[in-house]
Amino acid sequence: MPKKTPATTTAAARPQVVKIPRDRHSVSRRDISENALKVLYRLNKSGFEAYLVGGCVRDLLLGLTPKDFDVATNAKPEEIRQLFKNCRLIGRRFRLAHIVFGRDVIEVATFRGHHPDEAEEQQSRAQTSDDGQLLRDNIYGTIEEDAQRRDFTVNALYYSVADFAIYDFVGGMQDLEAGRLRLIGDPESRYREDPVRMLRAVRFATKLGLRIDDSCRHLIPKLAPLLDNIPAARLFEEFLKLFLHKKAVANFETLNDLGLMAPLLPVLKTPLKDPNSLEYRMAVQAFSDTDARLQEDKSVNPGYLFAALLWYPMVSRAEEIMQEASLPELDAYQIAAADIVQVQARSISLPKRFSLPMRDIWLLQLRLQQTSPRRAMRLLTHPKFRAGYDFLLLRGRVENDKQLKALGEFWTKFQAENPDVAPMPSSPNKARRSSRSGRPRRRRSPKAKND
Ligand code: ATP
Ligand code: MG
């Protein structure tokens, strides 16, 4: 087959593989999880090809600590299962093997062939099922095909423990050295196949300090509305990755510049064009507080963040309702909160364990205005008092409003005067299910101790 130069490579073309030997790259076995190494060696010993691939190779080359170690192989899922007692097969259309070492899981995927329906596959990755639904015959492929169907060139580097070399089919190494994030193949078709890649582009650029290549960047504002078709649950996962990993402000600014905030938070559409609007200032303040808390290893809650992002639209809606029907403020807030949650759920669905605290935080803003000693004392025991109070201070800072600040100071003092009064715990059901980021995490593998 005639070879094309990397610059004109398309998804269908087969570029020549570039092999980067051990003495020309910085990936060392010392930095690779012991469990991942075991999996790679066992597959190789049994006659299969096996490579580390994706984020872990990229991160190691950049001197970062990988979140997890993923393996790609030419062994089929059933063959992988026969090799590892501790193997669980997951996924329906495309089966993945999870090799389980206590709480550490190494994900092993068989090389994948070309497949048009990428978005649907990304969805089915999230489901775990072992019911053995029939697979399409052509779903598996060669390593070259596997590389071509990944998203960015820097995410398609393969590291082998057979010769400690890195294999590059798409010019990922050059891009990494040039600090460039580039989609594999034709950018427009790759975004159309899976519009979430636009969000991933921003996230990787920010996290890794890479520049989104112009060929991929300029298309984003035009294609951003395609995100409207992505299932709300998947967007929630992406939202957490974008905003609960220390780079929230940077991600927000880039997403907003590229027109990607509107599909995520449609109720904010217009105000985010104006950096002086309350909505914009609230977003920046809430994101920078989130980054600062994570930096100090403090917990962050998606419900609180959503409460901040959607606060002003909720208040405007409540004001409308109060004008339309002469309802008390509390009732208007409750109806407005329900309306906003409903609109928001069409783009990003916020699980109840986060939307309920968000509503509590909003309604507490009314109750915090009542400062008689008896009411104030009772409010101190409210399970969400602390979040409501923090939110009041946040509003004070955003609005730079004297009255709000004075109210904040009242509550600061009142708490100091009543150090023994503590909030009641939330119901055990809610408490058990909430976690820092809202989803179970795959634990990072422990590093190899000696190698
Ligand atoms: P992170 O550090 O955020 O985990 P990652 O690169 O490992 O980054 P994952 O979402 O864990 O990202 O995906 C693992 C790999 O799977 C990616 O590196 C990429 O090669 C491939 N991949 C993931 N999502 C997509 C997608 N939407 N389209 C194409 N390839 C994808
Ligand atoms: Mg990963």
Side-chain angles (χ1 to χ4, degrees), residues 54-55 58 67 150-151 155 194 197 200 203-204 207:
R58 173 201 74 205
K67 269 204 322 240
R150 290 177 183 274
D151 47 5
N155 283 348
D194 181 8
R197 290 176 185 146
R200 289 173 61 85
R203 181 161 65 84
F204 290 131
K207 166 174 158 169

Side-chain angles (χ1 to χ4, degrees), residues 12-24:
R14 287 279 183 83
Q16 198 169 13
V17 58
V18 174
K19 176 176 167 179
I20 301 129
R22 176 63 189 95
D23 57 354
R24 289 188 36 229

Side-chain angles (χ1 to χ4, degrees), residues 54-56 58 67-68 70 442:
C56 59
R58 173 201 74 205
K67 269 204 322 240
D68 37 46
D70 293 331
R442 236 165 84 191

